[in-house]
Amino acid sequence: MPIARKKAAKPAATPAPAKKAVAPKSKKRTVQEAQRDESDDEFGQVAIDMNSDDEEDMDGDDESDDAEANEFPEEDAEEGQDMSAADIEEDEDEEDEDSEGSYMDGDSLVDSQEENDDDDDDEENDSDLDELINGGIIDPNFGHNLNEPLAPESDYNPIKREYPEIDPVYDSDSSTEENDNTVGDIPMHWYDDYPHIGYDVDGKKIMRPATGDELDKFLSTMDDPDSWLSAHNYKEGQDIKLTSEELEIIRRLEGNRIPDADFNPYEDQVEFFTSKTEIMPLSAAPEPKRRFIPSKHEAKRIMKIVRAIRDGRIVPRKSGYVPPKPKYYNLWNDAEDKPREEHVMHITAPKMKLPTHDESYNPPAEYLPTEQEIQEWNDLDKEDRPKNYLPQKYNALRNVPGYGQFIQERFERCLDLYLAPRVRKNRLNIDPESLIPKLPSPRDLQPFPTRMAIEYLGHEGRVRSISVDPSGLWLASGSEDKTVRVWEVATGRCMATYVVDELVTSVSWGPNKEVAVLAVACGYKVGLILPEKLFSPELTLHSEEYLKAGFANVAATEANAKASWKQPTPAEFEQGIRVWVHLQKPVKQVTWHRKGDYFATVAPDANNSAVLIHQLTKHQTQQPFKKTKGAVQRVMFHPTKPMFFVATQRYVRQYNLQRQELVKTMMTGVQWISSLDVHPAGDNLIIGSYDKRLCWFDLDLSSKPYKTLRYHAQAIRSVAYHKRYPLFASCADDGNVQIFHGMVYNDLLQNPLIVPVKILKNVHQRVEALGALCVEWHPTQPWLISSGADHTIKLFS
């Protein structure tokens, strides 16, 4: 309100000029002023002086003030609000100067107060007060002493106060007051179809504030630099700027911290009941007297016993009294019946198990078996039954019959005690972690491939086989889309494509760097391809002469009936194919000898002629085994010695080609061998199987696996050693590639170190239950290349 209190509460001593007659009614005015000053703290902001004296004094001025009371003095109110602090201090200083030295001896405090009030209440205050009262804005009895009657001309009831009607659209200074929405915690979209958004404490509608379109919101956001610090209040329908404390709470909540920065979740525990033994008593009250004098109650009990002894009703024991022997005694104890010390190795009898809920005569419903469970229990043998009884429910304990297995169980309990061992076996205190070998950290075993670097895309069928040439520059791949592609390893570009008649099952580069030849197995034949575009003219010319040299030996070619060497057609010759080797059965694998003049093929359906060794320079084919033992799956030449490894379904046999004899047979213990590879040093061997196992053989140690690893969830398709680094890898139908560190030491007394270092998960997607089909290492770098059933080839570095 614009009315400010200017009257000083302290008594003024200056005599006022006789403008008005001093009436005796001013005593009530003084008492009311004192009461109002005391209650200023309760009413808080504004103290308004509404007294009956003013009404009486203003009776004569009603006619002159009627015209002014009809309108609310907005301008005066605003001017009163805008009054500066300097003006207020100036008014107070004038009052203080008027009151100095005015109080004389003999003047009463009440009279001086009345005179001071009459001097301060000038015509302006009286007119402003009359306008507010007559306009119905201020209750004239506000602050009135309830112990005194109201003025007779007042129409207000002090008990039931009437408030003026609130206009929600009224635009005045009171509109800045907060109108709290009292609708409660409800969805605010219920008010979407109404012009208001709720109700205030007086039940009046809170009108919806005007909101612009999205363009207005955007412009207001751009104009207001603090728009990002505001939040929309749906109850009030307007944006509210967040304070720094609220922003700090939001920031702490986003950081998963406690909203209250002053809260300490790790405060010291407060011991409400101390655990320390107190020396001084908790109470300083003196000890009662009864604790220092004999108890009369105990004296009565003792005298009662003494009288019984005197009367002979209680006979005390004499010295040397021997208690009678018990009626029942232990038959097996010694005659002296002294307790015997337990033996050092004595074992106490095991305790019987406590009964459970299902042994109750009235067990809960969940413990009662169903008819199916009862039938299953009856079908089991007595030795296989988990319990010797079935839980049953009875209404009362008297209805429970005798337990039929009681005698049998007691007898078995006695047998358990009789046959129990009577020697204590000391348990070995061994730390389980000490039994686990200490493996080095994978970080210490680097380098090894960890991430995919290049992906080779272009095949439209499953990529069954891949091979890297000895220089490490070119990668060959064979797919079921009847194509052979040659890729540049570093960039992933497809440099050449060769189309064949059948599905490509195996590709292999010749190990001789002086001869550029690629062997491809497709269907019933093996093709030797010369990629002219990839190599120098000198190397291409030398390789072509090397491949054509065998056609001079025509007699040897026609004499062999197992395989026939033929020249390609002109169209195939232009494509790059130089030699065809036709076999009797489909070829599954092609592998080269370390010198590059011999290569071996595997045709599992050919029975005894499943394994054939071909010589490139003479175009000759020979059958090393007259009779094979089992279905041959894979073959491999020894990297340094004239040894030949043949893997059948369950065994791996090592043959000496010079002596033409069997050297060793490795018993794998797997169901079906799928892949085979020999360590570059030649002393170790790994195989993969369709039953998810990978076996490492130490040829100098034993014919059984040194380690059997089972890290794959599906059948293993391929295994491969690195030619330079101590690494080997395996891939399976689960789409994963496992990379291992396999260090082979020169010391024969030290076993190989095998550590799994990396799992490349989901390298290839599973297509028709097939995942990763082949893995191959780069000859010089620690790079791994894999192919799969999803028509892709990937390089990991």
Side-chain angles (χ1 to χ4, degrees):
M1 290 299 178
I3 305 302
R5 185 181 60 193
K6 292 186 179 181
K7 303 178 183 62
K10 59 184 179 178
T14 304
K19 292 182 180 180
K20 297 180 183 180
V22 179
K25 299 177 184 178
S26 60
K27 293 182 179 180
K28 183 174 67 175
R29 177 193 182 100
T30 305
V31 174
Q32 281 183 260
E33 179 105 12
Q35 290 180 355
R36 187 178 67 253
D37 292 342
E38 292 176 358
S39 61
D40 281 347
D41 295 337
E42 298 178 2
F43 289 98
Q45 299 176 355
V46 179
I48 304 171
D49 189 5
M50 299 294 176
N51 297 316
S52 59
D53 291 343
D54 294 339
E55 293 177 1
E56 294 173 0
D57 295 341
M58 289 186 292
D59 288 341
D61 300 334
D62 288 340
E63 299 176 357
S64 61
D65 296 339
D66 285 340
E68 297 179 1
N70 294 331
E71 297 180 357
F72 183 78
E74 280 187 308
E75 297 180 358
D76 296 341
E78 292 176 357
E79 291 176 1
Q81 283 186 345
D82 297 335
M83 182 182 293
S84 62
D87 299 333
I88 298 174
E89 292 178 359
E90 184 177 357
D91 294 340
E92 292 177 357
D93 293 338
E94 292 176 359
E95 294 175 4
D96 294 339
E97 291 176 1
D98 296 336
S99 62
E100 288 180 0
S102 304
Y103 185 73
M104 301 293 293
D105 295 335
D107 294 339
S108 65
L109 181 62
V110 177
D111 296 339
S112 63
Q113 179 67 29
E114 293 174 355
E115 293 170 359
N116 188 21
D117 292 341
D118 294 337
D119 185 53
D120 292 335
D121 294 337
D122 52 4
E123 295 179 359
E124 291 183 1
N125 294 340
D126 292 340
S127 61
D128 294 342
L129 192 59
D130 292 338
E131 291 176 0
L132 296 178
I133 294 175
N134 297 332
I137 297 175
I138 298 179
D139 185 358
N141 296 307
F142 181 73
H144 181 75
N145 188 2
L146 299 179
N147 295 325
E148 298 180 2
L150 290 174
E153 61 270 23
S154 175
D155 296 333
Y156 290 92
N157 190 345
I159 297 177
K160 183 178 180 182
R161 184 171 299 166
E162 297 181 1
Y163 293 96
E165 184 177 358
I166 299 174
D167 186 4
V169 194
Y170 182 69
D171 188 10
S172 66
D173 293 335
S174 62
S175 62
T176 59
E177 300 177 359
E178 295 184 1
N179 295 326
D180 293 334
N181 198 346
T182 60
V183 295
D185 189 9
I186 64 171
M188 295 305 297
H189 64 81
W190 291 355
Y191 287 92
D192 290 347
D193 299 333
Y194 296 95
H196 59 282
I197 59 174
Y199 302 90
D200 58 3
V201 293
D202 296 322
K204 300 298 181 180
K205 295 181 180 180
I206 300 177
M207 305 307 294
R208 185 185 307 276
T211 57
D213 55 0
E214 296 297 330
L215 182 58
D216 295 336
K217 292 182 181 179
F218 175 74
L219 294 177
S220 61
T221 303
M222 297 300 294
D223 295 339
D224 187 7
D226 297 334
S227 61
W228 66 279
L229 297 177
S230 62
H232 187 72
N233 186 359
Y234 289 96
K235 280 193 176 182
E236 303 296 338
Q238 57 186 352
D239 293 338
I240 299 175
K241 183 178 178 181
L242 300 178
T243 62
S244 58
E245 293 80 4
E246 294 171 343
L247 291 174
E248 179 64 21
I249 291 174
I250 295 174
R251 197 175 295 111
R252 295 181 66 86
L253 289 175
E254 289 179 348
N256 292 332
R257 292 181 293 171
I258 299 175
D260 188 3
D262 299 332
F263 178 75
N264 183 15
Y266 307 105
E267 291 184 353
D268 297 336
Q269 180 181 2
V270 179
E271 294 186 356
F272 297 97
F273 302 96
T274 177
S275 58
K276 299 178 182 178
T277 304
E278 300 291 343
I279 299 175
M280 300 299 294
L282 298 179
S283 174
E287 294 289 339
K289 184 178 179 181
R290 63 178 179 273
R291 296 186 182 178
F292 300 97
I293 59 176
S295 174
K296 295 181 180 180
H297 177 69
E298 292 180 357
K300 290 181 181 180
R301 294 184 62 186
I302 292 174
M303 289 304 303
K304 186 177 181 179
I305 296 174
V306 170
R307 292 191 193 95
I309 293 175
R310 289 175 181 175
D311 297 342
R313 290 183 280 109
I314 296 178
V315 180
R317 295 178 180 177
K318 299 179 181 179
S319 60
Y321 171 77
V322 179
K325 289 186 177 182
K327 185 177 181 181
Y328 305 101
Y329 58 92
N330 192 351
L331 180 65
W332 306 107
N333 277 358
D334 297 337
E336 299 177 358
D337 198 12
K338 294 181 180 180
R340 182 174 57 182
E341 295 182 0
E342 293 183 353
H343 194 266
V344 179
M345 306 300 289
H346 173 71
I347 299 178
T348 58
K351 296 182 179 180
M352 295 184 65
K353 294 182 180 180
L354 297 176
T356 57
H357 291 292
D358 56 357
E359 296 185 46
S360 172
Y361 74 93
N362 190 11
E366 58 266 18
Y367 289 95
L368 297 176
T370 60
E371 296 181 358
Q372 183 179 0
E373 292 175 350
I374 294 175
Q375 183 64 29
E376 293 176 355
W377 186 84
N378 292 328
D379 295 341
L380 292 174
D381 297 334
K382 291 185 178 181
E383 294 80 7
D384 299 335
R385 292 174 180 173
K387 297 178 181 179
N388 297 330
Y389 61 92
L390 284 176
Q392 297 180 359
K393 188 171 184 178
Y394 299 94
N395 296 330
L397 186 60
R398 61 178 177 272
N399 297 333
V400 180
Y403 183 45
Q405 300 292 331
F406 178 76
I407 301 299
Q408 183 68 21
E409 288 187 358
R410 294 300 95 189
F411 177 71
E412 291 179 356
R413 170 70 176 174
C414 294
L415 286 181
D416 293 341
L417 297 177
Y418 170 68
L419 298 176
R422 288 291 179 262
V423 178
R424 179 176 300 171
K425 295 182 180 180
N426 293 328
R427 184 178 182 181
L428 298 178
N429 189 10
I430 299 176
D431 186 10
E433 295 183 357
S434 63
L435 301 177
I436 302 176
K438 300 297 181 181
L439 298 178
S441 174
R443 293 183 178 180
D444 302 335
L445 304 178
Q446 290 180 347
F448 53 83
T450 57
R451 60 183 179 84
M452 188 183 74
I454 301 175
E455 185 174 6
Y456 306 87
L457 301 176
H459 281 292
E460 298 178 357
R462 300 170 184 166
V463 184
R464 286 284 184 177
S465 177
I466 55 177
S467 178
V468 185
D469 78 315
S471 65
L473 299 176
W474 314 109
L475 169 67
S477 61
S479 173
E480 291 185 357
D481 58 359
K482 302 180 183 181
T483 60
V484 177
R485 293 178 182 266
V486 179
W487 313 81
E488 188 177 6
V489 175
T491 61
R493 292 187 302 170
C494 181
M495 305 302 296
T497 302
Y498 304 95
V499 180
V500 294
D501 300 335
E502 300 291 339
L503 305 179
V504 180
T505 57
S506 178
V507 294
S508 179
W509 284 96
N512 190 359
K513 293 183 180 181
E514 298 179 356
V515 178
V517 60
L518 175 63
V520 178
C522 53
Y524 289 79
K525 53 187 177 180
V526 177
L528 301 179
I529 300 176
L530 175 61
E532 299 178 359
K533 301 178 182 179
L534 307 180
F535 300 97
S536 62
E538 294 81 4
L539 182 59
T540 303
L541 182 60
H542 177 70
S543 301
E544 192 161 354
E545 293 177 356
Y546 190 85
L547 293 173
K548 290 182 179 180
F551 286 109
N553 191 4
V554 180
T557 306
E558 295 177 354
N560 194 345
K562 301 293 182 182
S564 59
W565 296 70
K566 296 182 180 180
Q567 293 184 357
T569 62
E572 294 174 345
F573 186 86
E574 291 180 1
Q575 192 176 358
I577 302 174
R578 295 294 182 263
V579 180
W580 283 113
V581 182
H582 292 264
L583 304 178
Q584 297 178 350
K585 295 293 181 180
V587 184
K588 183 180 179 181
Q589 182 200 4
V590 176
T591 181
W592 287 88
H593 189 264
R594 67 180 185 278
K595 293 184 178 180
D597 191 19
Y598 293 90
F599 65 92
T601 58
V602 176
D605 299 336
N607 297 330
N608 294 333
S609 60
V611 181
L612 297 177
I613 298 177
H614 313 273
Q615 187 176 2
L616 186 58
T617 54
K618 297 182 180 180
H619 287 191
Q620 291 182 352
T621 302
Q622 53 183 334
Q623 180 180 348
F625 309 108
K626 294 182 179 179
K627 185 177 181 181
T628 57
K629 299 179 180 179
V632 180
Q633 304 296 320
R634 292 279 171 173
V635 295
M636 198 81 180
F637 287 99
H638 195 279
T640 57
K641 299 178 182 179
M643 298 289 180
F644 192 63
F645 297 92
V646 179
T648 58
Q649 187 172 341
R650 294 189 178 184
Y651 300 97
V652 178
R653 293 179 174 87
Q654 181 182 1
Y655 295 94
N656 191 325
L657 295 178
Q658 287 183 346
R659 298 179 182 179
Q660 298 182 1
E661 63 181 6
L662 176 64
V663 178
K664 184 183 291 186
T665 301
M666 275 73 75
M667 293 175 286
T668 62
V670 300
Q671 298 297 325
W672 198 300
I673 297 175
S674 63
S675 54
L676 168 73
D677 198 12
V678 183
H679 193 270
D683 296 335
N684 294 271
L685 175 76
I686 57 173
I687 64 164
S689 66
Y690 291 117
D691 52 355
K692 315 170 191 176
R693 283 182 285 183
L694 185 147
C695 300
W696 177 297
F697 288 91
D698 191 343
L699 301 180
D700 298 332
L701 183 64
S702 173
S703 60
K704 294 183 178 180
Y706 164 67
K707 290 288 184 182
T708 300
L709 309 177
R710 188 168 181 173
Y711 288 96
H712 286 286
Q714 299 293 333
I716 296 177
R717 291 289 175 176
S718 177
V719 293
Y721 275 112
H722 199 286
K723 291 181 173 56
R724 289 192 178 183
Y725 293 92
L727 297 171
F728 68 96
S730 64
C731 67
D733 284 339
D734 55 3
N736 299 339
V737 176
Q738 298 275 352
I739 301 174
F740 301 88
H741 174 87
M743 175 61 74
V744 177
Y745 301 96
N746 295 328
D747 188 3
L748 297 177
L749 299 178
Q750 192 170 1
N751 294 328
L753 176 64
I754 302 175
V755 181
V757 293
K758 186 64 177 178
I759 304 176
L760 302 175
K761 294 185 177 180
N762 300 325
V763 174
H764 297 281
Q765 297 180 359
R766 296 192 66 190
V767 179
E768 297 180 0
L770 296 178
L773 300 179
C774 184
V775 289
E776 188 77 16
W777 289 97
H778 193 275
T780 58
Q781 300 294 333
W783 298 345
L784 181 67
I785 305 172
S786 68
S787 64
D790 56 352
H791 314 165
T792 61
I793 305 169
K794 297 180 181 180
L795 184 142
F796 297 88
S797 62

